[in-house]
């Protein structure tokens, strides 16, 4: 791989399976950092969709992720008086609240995450074929 | 433009027109990236206000943005028992939930956004004169 | 300090005092930028916890922060029907909504914040001993 290629965005594909779902993407982030050959810097994980997001949360108890999904649905019910004809305005709103990117420090070629942290792709209007863009910046 | 100027922050002004409003700022982001002469890297869009935010969401159906505004107001009504005397604590809370910045990958001198994504300045306590800071980082 | 050390992450410790609390961390950010010797670039403030977050909000009236805490508790009550046995799923959800990082422009060796903006560590499941990672990127 040339030096120029090393600095480019990496794109990953994933298939979601239900309407609302949090999918662990740590392996994509570790792979992108490894291939970038950046030892120290930051890593941007970006979701190019408007009804999906990316977030960092607990990796130990899967009940936490189920609770997050349910709390989202309780907080933003899909039957709010939305006008958007596709009927998925709740998904657009959830995506806005969680956000389209996370940025993580990189040290010694590894993401610097807390003990209980993992990175999750947040599906709010699945099942769909989705993509993910990861860029690692040296510095 | 000198090399030094190329690396500095760019500031843009915008006038909002109602209390709650999402304003498309794609043109500012494209202009800032163009002027930075950075071909590959990341772009930080930062809002230096505490009752406004920035987010990424759908650009196709304007109903989505109206739904986001209304869902915000349903979720965080302005008559919650707030103590702050200015009476705009709901706006501070909305700004916190959406966040003060977005970071976008840059490739070939262009922001790497999804097909349906645009970048929006979020006004929660307008109408006001606002500013926006954009910085492009090579890497 | 060697050039290599200048580019590394800085870690700060803080002790929170109540279950929900917003703590001003401007001094850590200013110190990290000063020690990095970066004049122009961006600063990433990252929280390596899953029941805490970081946000930017008003520094003038402390009632704003109290209102944010109360609005959080009103919006996401701790007695939602959560399954996670630790009983702190509300804290995980709040952490997800506010986010695990903020990114700030740096100019002339200073964070570029708005007049009323300060950076806050958000505790949602305290009191605890917490840490904070700050990385400054030149560019």
């Amino acid at each position: 791989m040339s030096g120029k290629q090393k600095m480019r965005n990496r794109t990953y594909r994933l298939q979601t399976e239900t309407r609302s779902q949090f999918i662990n993407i740590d392996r994509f982030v570790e792979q992108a950092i490894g291939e970038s050959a950046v030892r120290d810097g930051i890593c941007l994980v970006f979701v190019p969709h408007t009804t999906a997001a990316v977030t960092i949360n607990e990796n130990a108890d899967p009940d936490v992720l189920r609770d997050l999904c349910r709390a989202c649905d309780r907080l933003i019910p899909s039957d709010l008086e939305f006008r958007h004809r596709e009927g998925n305005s709740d998904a657009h709103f959830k995506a806005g609240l969680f956000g389209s990117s996370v940025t993580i420090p990189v040290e010694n070629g590894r993401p610097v995450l807390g003990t209980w942290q993992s990175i999750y792709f947040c599906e709010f209007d699945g099942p769909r074929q989705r993509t993910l863009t990861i860029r690692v910046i040296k510095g």
Side-chain angles (χ1 to χ4, degrees), chain A:
Chain A
M1 187 182 284
S2 78
K4 191 169 177 60
Q5 282 174 312
K6 276 182 190 169
M7 304 310 289
R8 293 188 64 184
N9 297 322
R10 275 166 192 76
T11 302
Y12 299 89
R13 294 181 187 284
L14 64 170
Q15 174 67 48
T16 62
E17 287 157 13
T18 58
R19 180 149 205 263
S20 287
Q21 189 180 9
F22 286 66
I23 298 174
N24 188 315
I25 54 170
D26 287 353
R27 67 188 183 285
F28 296 136
V29 175
E30 288 161 10
Q31 188 183 327
I33 294 173
E35 289 178 8
S36 75
V38 170
R39 299 291 297 166
D40 289 277
I42 58 174
C43 175
L44 171 67
V45 183
F46 183 84
V47 166
H49 305 288
T50 59
T51 54
V54 58
T55 197
I56 294 175
N57 221 301
E58 178 173 313
N59 53 26
D61 179 357
D63 277 344
V64 169
L65 302 174
R66 281 190 285 263
D67 285 346
L68 290 182
C69 274
R70 293 174 68 209
C72 271
D73 290 337
R74 289 275 302 260
L75 201 63
I76 304 124
S78 61
D79 60 355
L80 269 183
E81 299 155 39
F82 291 127
R83 294 186 208 177
H84 179 45
R85 274 169 284 169
E86 284 188 74
N88 60 354
S89 283
D90 65 312
H92 286 287
F93 190 49
K94 291 166 187 169
L97 292 182
F98 278 91
S100 54
S101 72
V102 297
T103 307
I104 304 149
V106 174
E107 202 167 59
N108 298 320
R110 298 275 308 165
V112 181
L113 293 169
T115 311
W116 310 111
Q117 285 183 317
S118 281
I119 307 158
Y120 292 93
F121 181 91
C122 313
E123 174 62 84
F124 295 120
D125 194 34
R128 294 192 191 217
Q129 174 84 33
R130 299 291 201 176
T131 63
L132 192 64
T133 300
I134 303 182
R135 179 160 209 123
V136 189
I137 300 281
K138 189 179 174 179

